[in-house]
Amino acid sequence: MVHPGDRECCEWRRHRYGKFLKLQLYSGIGFYLANCLIALLLYDNHEIRWLTVVMGINIVFDNLIYVIKCLNIARSAQSLTFKIIVVDSVLKFLGILSFVVFPFPIML
């Protein structure tokens, strides 16, 4: 049986989770756009601009993973957080491995 107070608490949590997610998402996208704009204005080198785009995307995804991790810890769902962090680590490892297999020279 669900008590009326429990329903209000769930609505309040969903509202807070949504606000936290939006805050992290908007701040990540804002940083990404500022980062790309500054790199575009400061550097003429195409490789540096490309690296800035890739690193910026990584920062946005790190923000989203941070949100998911915090919300799962708040809900005591650490096993889901562990799976997400493992997938993130594997993807980062594959990204670094791609730089080893396909060298990316940067000349300044």
Side-chain angles (χ1 to χ4, degrees):
M1 186 167 153
V2 177
H3 298 288
D6 292 341
R7 186 170 301 172
E8 292 171 6
C9 182
C10 290
E11 290 297 323
W12 180 82
R13 283 185 182 173
R14 269 192 232 128
H15 176 70
R16 289 291 176 188
Y17 291 165
K19 285 181 81 168
F20 185 60
L21 177 66
K22 286 178 187 176
L23 174 70
Q24 290 296 325
L25 184 64
Y26 292 154
S27 65
I29 291 172
F31 174 79
Y32 175 72
L33 293 176
N35 189 25
C36 289
L37 180 65
I38 290 171
L40 186 68
L41 295 173
L42 292 179
Y43 300 106
D44 293 329
N45 193 338
H46 177 70
E47 286 86 11
I48 292 177
R49 289 179 178 174
W50 177 247
L51 281 175
T52 303
V53 168
V54 171
M55 296 289 281
I57 291 171
N58 182 39
I59 290 171
V60 170
F61 281 117
D62 279 346
N63 259 4
L64 289 176
I65 289 170
Y66 170 76
V67 168
I68 291 168
K69 183 175 77 170
C70 288
L71 295 179
N72 285 337
I73 288 172
R75 291 186 298 179
S76 297
Q78 284 87 357
S79 62
L80 181 61
T81 300
F82 176 74
K83 292 174 188 175
I84 291 170
I85 290 174
V86 167
V87 169
D88 178 54
S89 300
V90 168
L91 290 175
K92 285 181 181 180
F93 176 74
L94 292 175
I96 296 299
L97 191 63
S98 71
F99 283 125
V100 172
V101 173
F102 305 107
F104 191 82
I106 299 176
M107 302 177 98
L108 297 175

